[in-house]
Amino acid sequence: MIFEDLPTTPTSEELIDKAFSRAARAGKAKGGLEAQQSMLQTAANIISDNLENVVTAWPDFEYEDDVHPFYYELADAIVDVDKLRQSLSEVMWASRKAREIHEEYQPRLRKTDVDTARKHRKQAFARLADIVEQIDDELLYINEARNDLRDLPDIDPDEPTIVVAGYPNVGKSSFVNDVTSARGETASYPFTTKGIGVGHFERDHIRYQIVDTPGLLDRPPAERNEIESQAVSAIEHLADCMLVVLDPSGECGYPLASQLELRDSIAAQFEEIPVLTVANKTDRRDVWDEDRLEERPVDYTMSVETGDDVETVLDAAVDAVDYEPELPFDE
Ligand SMILES: Nc1nc2c(ncn2[C@@H]2O[C@H](COP(=O)(O)OP(=O)(O)OP(=O)(O)O)[C@@H](O)[C@H]2O)c(=O)[nH]1
Ligand SMILES: [Mg+2]
């Protein structure tokens, strides 16, 4: 995951302390003018290198190759990406500024007496400290963003992906767990307390990703808060096929009519991709709402409980994804 390995960002105070204490050590190793020059060089280098490293550790939000639109939107649901980008560019500015101060003061520490050189060096230190203090808020914000983003789900936006939606208790997780070998990791994120589940399976040597979305695509759009809505639009960049699971028995606690309304709103939002409607719990067919199903037929039926037609549904989803792998020798 692109935001996983970001290092901690130093605070301005930590950075100033580090730069000046290393500079003092470098100065002690030498004498006279050389000590002053070495102190300036050490302090300026530590500041400009560390600040530059803060910035280059981040992927470039401007390039889709670096940050896929799925992760851009997801990140933007959690932090203010514009503010983050602005903060990063101010830090880059400060890094360059530290180098400029070095270049400006360097000549003043030559061909002069030690006291004058020391005076200039102290002046340079004051200006370096000032620059770093100016980006205090930015460094704090970048570190906050780093902490908030590092736990985003490990989803590969380039893998063919099936997203599973539907009201709570209809059998979404049962289905995902049934068709994936390893149980996908789940964790909670600001946009769903229940945790997005990610699993994988293989067909014809192609790896497919299947994503469970409790707390996100499990109720009407009007009931989503802003963060959840944005996470849903991130999923638009991810999904190659949507499986809406229904429980026509209503044992999930929601009438089939409401479930069908959710299906319609999902189909409207995800109009660019195939949306398959699957009625689960055929083993409970005796209590299905058959009248309504006659009005609004579904695409498939299955029972995750007994395993009936689960493979058929998965095959249909794979067909709907219609993924063509890029072959290295293709033109
Ligand atoms: N009778 C029957 N029960 C099922 C079937 N599939 C799932 N269930 C049961 O339905 C309940 C809910 O299943 P889950 O897979 O947790 O449902 P979910 O959609 O993931 O629910 P949330 O995570 O709360 O959104 C569980 O008790 C399952 O055992 C089925 O085919 N038949
Ligand atoms: Mg679930």
Side-chain angles (χ1 to χ4, degrees), residues 132-272:
V132 179
E133 273 158 17
Q134 273 186 55
I135 52 160
D136 191 34
D137 288 346
E138 284 76 7
L139 290 172
L140 289 173
Y141 188 72
I142 291 166
N143 199 48
E144 236 174 76
R146 176 254 183 197
N147 291 339
D148 290 341
L149 294 177
R150 60 188 303 195
D151 295 327
L152 278 180
D154 202 355
I155 292 173
D156 182 353
D158 295 318
E159 244 174 45
T161 303
I162 297 159
V163 173
V164 182
Y167 264 98
N169 286 314
V170 295
K172 299 184 299 295
S173 304
S174 304
F175 177 76
V176 170
N177 291 336
D178 193 67
V179 301
T180 57
S181 41
R183 204 157 281 233
E185 75 272 38
T186 60
S188 43
Y189 311 104
F191 43 82
T192 159
T193 49
K194 287 184 170 177
I196 285 191
V198 189
H200 296 92
F201 66 92
E202 245 183 60
R203 277 294 148 93
D204 296 331
H205 307 290
I206 296 169
R207 209 167 102 111
Y208 290 83
Q209 192 166 238
I210 185 159
V211 179
D212 189 6
T213 58
L216 271 187
L217 289 163
D218 66 352
R219 59 196 190 287
E223 290 176 23
R224 290 177 202 141
N225 66 31
E226 205 182 317
I227 288 179
E228 290 160 349
S229 300
Q230 207 177 335
V232 170
S233 37
I235 290 175
E236 282 179 56
H237 297 286
L238 175 74
D240 299 299
C241 168
M242 179 68 72
L243 266 189
V244 180
V245 180
L246 307 178
D247 172 5
S249 74
E251 283 172 345
C252 63
Y254 305 89
L256 182 56
S258 318
Q259 298 183 52
L260 285 163
E261 270 173 42
L262 175 64
R263 193 220 87 97
D264 290 345
S265 69
I266 288 173
Q269 180 158 16
F270 290 80
E271 56 177 5
E272 315 250 298

Side-chain angles (χ1 to χ4, degrees), residues 168-174 194 280-281 283-284 303-305:
N169 286 314
V170 295
K172 299 184 299 295
S173 304
S174 304
K194 287 184 170 177
N280 185 30
K281 309 193 186 177
D283 57 295
R284 304 291 295 135
S303 168
V304 181
E305 181 95 350

Side-chain angles (χ1 to χ4, degrees), residues 9-297:
T9 310
T11 63
S12 52
E13 198 186 329
E14 283 164 356
L15 186 53
I16 291 168
D17 283 354
K18 180 175 166 184
F20 290 173
S21 64
R22 292 269 184 86
R25 241 181 293 155
K28 269 190 202 128
K30 301 200 165 104
L33 285 181
E34 248 186 89
Q36 299 305 317
Q37 289 160 6
S38 169
M39 284 174 82
L40 174 63
Q41 177 163 9
T42 305
N45 280 352
I46 284 181
I47 288 169
S48 68
D49 290 353
N50 276 269
L51 293 179
E52 192 177 331
N53 291 342
V54 165
V55 180
T56 53
W58 285 83
D60 191 338
F61 282 93
E62 242 176 281
Y63 293 104
E64 286 198 8
D65 283 352
D66 274 16
V67 183
H68 189 281
F70 165 69
Y71 272 120
Y72 195 114
E73 290 236 26
L74 207 54
D76 207 29
I78 297 166
V79 303
D80 182 343
V81 170
D82 282 341
K83 185 175 171 188
L84 172 61
R85 290 175 59 176
Q86 184 62 32
S87 301
L88 289 167
S89 91
E90 310 245 334
V91 170
M92 207 52 173
W93 165 85
S95 168
R96 275 195 298 269
K97 205 75 197 159
R99 269 188 232 291
E100 280 170 28
I101 290 170
H102 182 207
E103 278 158 26
E104 184 184 331
Y105 280 84
Q106 181 113 298
R108 300 185 201 171
L109 308 185
R110 291 194 198 114
K111 294 180 188 149
T112 183
D113 59 282
V114 173
D115 278 348
T116 312
R118 184 179 294 115
K119 205 182 79 202
H120 284 308
R121 195 267 303 154
K122 281 186 174 169
Q123 220 173 62
F125 271 28
R127 284 187 57 191
L128 286 171
D130 187 53
I131 293 296
V132 179
E133 273 158 17
Q134 273 186 55
I135 52 160
D136 191 34
D137 288 346
E138 284 76 7
L139 290 172
L140 289 173
Y141 188 72
I142 291 166
N143 199 48
E144 236 174 76
R146 176 254 183 197
N147 291 339
D148 290 341
L149 294 177
R150 60 188 303 195
D151 295 327
L152 278 180
D154 202 355
I155 292 173
D156 182 353
D158 295 318
E159 244 174 45
T161 303
I162 297 159
V163 173
V164 182
Y167 264 98
N169 286 314
V170 295
K172 299 184 299 295
S173 304
S174 304
F175 177 76
V176 170
N177 291 336
D178 193 67
V179 301
T180 57
S181 41
R183 204 157 281 233
E185 75 272 38
T186 60
S188 43
Y189 311 104
F191 43 82
T192 159
T193 49
K194 287 184 170 177
I196 285 191
V198 189
H200 296 92
F201 66 92
E202 245 183 60
R203 277 294 148 93
D204 296 331
H205 307 290
I206 296 169
R207 209 167 102 111
Y208 290 83
Q209 192 166 238
I210 185 159
V211 179
D212 189 6
T213 58
L216 271 187
L217 289 163
D218 66 352
R219 59 196 190 287
E223 290 176 23
R224 290 177 202 141
N225 66 31
E226 205 182 317
I227 288 179
E228 290 160 349
S229 300
Q230 207 177 335
V232 170
S233 37
I235 290 175
E236 282 179 56
H237 297 286
L238 175 74
D240 299 299
C241 168
M242 179 68 72
L243 266 189
V244 180
V245 180
L246 307 178
D247 172 5
S249 74
E251 283 172 345
C252 63
Y254 305 89
L256 182 56
S258 318
Q259 298 183 52
L260 285 163
E261 270 173 42
L262 175 64
R263 193 220 87 97
D264 290 345
S265 69
I266 288 173
Q269 180 158 16
F270 290 80
E271 56 177 5
E272 315 250 298
I273 61 162
V275 176
L276 302 183
T277 310
V278 184
N280 185 30
K281 309 193 186 177
T282 46
D283 57 295
R284 304 291 295 135
R285 207 159 201 153
D286 52 324
V287 290
W288 272 22
D289 184 348
E290 293 288 355
D291 290 347
R292 208 168 298 267
L293 279 180
E294 216 160 281
E295 276 165 44
R296 297 284 310 273

